Amino acid sequence: MDLDRLARRQSRVVSRAQALASGMTAARVRWRLRRGDWQQLHPGVYLTHSGSVDWHARAWAGLLRCGTGSVLLLRSASYVWRLEWTPPAELCVGVPHERHPEPMPGIRVVRRRHLDPVRVDGLPVTRLAATVIDIADRADCSVDDAVALAARACQERSVDAVALLSELEGRSRHRMRRELRLAFWEVGEGAESLPETWFEGRVRRPHGLPPFARQAMRQDRARGPT
């Protein structure tokens, strides 16, 4: 194993097990820590330089500490998907349900029976549709916030209302199941986007604004009012 190449892929963070698997001895690891060449971020997890610790390094440290199969969840995943502009102060890591990691400062561990991660910028995160539906299930997320997040995901990434609805259908106990089903179905029934659904339900109808003309595709492939 090429430890330097691996460290570059992991924001310069490696685990003790990875270092030993690369051929380093335990004494060599201790020597680098004593010299200050490396920093210990968690027991058995090291930053391989003496500089500042950025968010991505913190994320990798949390994942490595939680072990194989760990994945970023909720706001942590949303930030990696670039749906959030500010990195969350608390890292949220999902682990297989049978695992019980020790508590770690600044990290919230969520045990789940089903984890189906993808890689974004090298980091394992929940799929985009799952990330949106996860956040909408939190008590601190309003319906407006959930629809706005879904709209951002549809605008900026390769996900659509059908994928979001499919993800929601698998969550029988989701706290916003009814509201989000209505929003996603409305897209399927003619609204061209989730932003349009949000505007219709939260701005136009409540304030008595006149309806707007939808755009339809004419035979010449140009758009025009219906």
Side-chain angles (χ1 to χ4, degrees):
M1 178 190 298
D2 186 330
L3 189 64
D4 189 58
R5 180 179 299 175
L6 179 64
R8 288 198 300 272
R9 290 203 304 265
Q10 297 178 173
S11 296
R12 307 303 308 182
V13 178
V14 299
S15 69
R16 175 183 173 84
Q18 288 172 337
L20 297 179
S22 74
M24 289 185 70
T25 64
R28 185 73 174 176
V29 171
R30 290 194 298 270
W31 178 75
R32 290 199 170 185
L33 289 168
R34 282 198 304 269
R35 275 174 47 101
D37 297 333
W38 286 10
Q39 305 175 57
Q40 179 169 288
L41 303 183
H42 298 294
V45 180
Y46 317 117
L47 182 65
T48 60
H49 63 72
S50 59
S52 60
V53 184
D54 63 19
W55 188 88
H56 282 77
R58 282 184 52 221
W60 269 112
L63 289 165
L64 290 173
R65 179 57 180 165
C66 288
T68 303
S70 300
V71 55
L72 296 179
L73 294 174
L74 295 168
R75 299 289 181 188
S76 297
S78 183
Y79 177 68
V80 177
W81 279 112
R82 297 180 178 85
L83 299 180
E84 309 275 343
W85 315 125
T86 304
E90 180 184 62
L91 197 70
C92 188
V93 179
V95 300
H97 191 264
E98 65 276 7
R99 190 175 299 160
H100 297 268
E102 295 180 3
M104 292 162 280
I107 299 178
R108 181 160 71 93
V109 175
V110 177
R111 295 165 54 233
R112 288 202 172 173
R113 296 189 184 280
H114 304 289
L115 290 169
D116 182 22
V118 295
R119 294 264 173 177
V120 178
D121 296 339
L123 286 160
V125 301
T126 46
R127 292 174 294 105
L128 183 51
T131 300
V132 172
I133 300 304
D134 281 348
I135 292 174
D137 204 24
R138 287 178 54 91
D140 60 355
C141 183
S142 69
V143 175
D144 282 359
D145 288 342
V147 174
L149 183 68
R152 214 154 50 239
C154 289
Q155 285 178 315
E156 299 180 11
R157 293 287 173 176
S158 56
V159 72
D160 56 23
V162 174
L164 292 170
L165 183 60
S166 176
E167 182 68 33
L168 184 64
E169 289 302 311
R171 314 285 187 95
S172 60
R173 298 183 179 180
H174 196 284
R175 59 185 287 270
M176 286 190 194
R177 182 177 170 83
R178 178 179 177 277
E179 294 89 341
L180 292 182
R181 283 184 74 189
L182 288 172
F184 298 158
W185 274 116
E186 192 166 330
V187 173
E189 289 299 312
E192 292 189 351
S193 66
L194 281 166
E196 185 178 314
T197 299
W198 183 91
F199 178 84
E200 178 73 11
R202 301 292 167 177
V203 179
R204 192 195 70 77
R205 287 199 296 257
H207 295 282
L209 299 176
F212 54 87
R214 296 192 189 279
Q215 297 290 307
M217 192 71 75
R218 300 199 300 258
Q219 289 186 352
D220 62 1
R221 309 298 293 174
R223 284 194 177 272
T226 57

